[in-house]
């Protein structure tokens, strides 16, 4: 909890689609992902499983999900807990 990830450039995380760990960031409770640039990702740029107090804001997503059809740039990984989230 309390992890802040900001002002970074994530690129070329294009592992084979059979590898489920090809994710830019895996957030958790209280994570802040802000002002980052994600480019050329095979799967999601930001994935999260516990979405309580999560902030994903002011990020740029460029050429994401080039090797799959089943994800989004921001993907909730089946999260069932949702409270106090900000995603824009």
């Amino acid at each position: 909890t309390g992890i802040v990830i900001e002002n970074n450039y994530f690129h070329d995380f294009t592992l084979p689609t059979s590898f489920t760990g090809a994710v830019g960031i895996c957030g958790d409770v209280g994570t802040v992902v802000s002002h980052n640039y994600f480019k050329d990702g095979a799967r999601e740029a930001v994935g999260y499983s516990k979405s309580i107090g999560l902030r994903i804001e002011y990020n740029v997503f460029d050429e994401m999900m080039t090797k799959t059809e089943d994800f989004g740039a921001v993907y909730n990984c089946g999260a069932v807990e949702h409270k106090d989230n900000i995603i824009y």
Side-chain angles (χ1 to χ4, degrees), residues 45-71:
V46 181
Y48 58 93
S49 60
K50 297 176 185 168
S51 57
I52 299 173
L54 180 70
R55 269 188 15 217
I56 302 171
E57 58 187 9
Y58 307 113
N59 296 287
V60 175
F61 304 101
D62 187 12
E63 297 185 38
M64 296 301 305
M65 300 155 305
T66 56
K67 296 186 179 183
T68 185
E69 298 174 357
D70 187 32
F71 285 85

Side-chain angles (χ1 to χ4, degrees), residues 28-32 50-55 82-86:
D28 205 346
V29 175
T31 301
V32 176
K50 297 176 185 168
S51 57
I52 299 173
L54 180 70
R55 269 188 15 217
H82 302 284
K83 182 179 179 185
D84 301 325
N85 297 313
I86 299 171

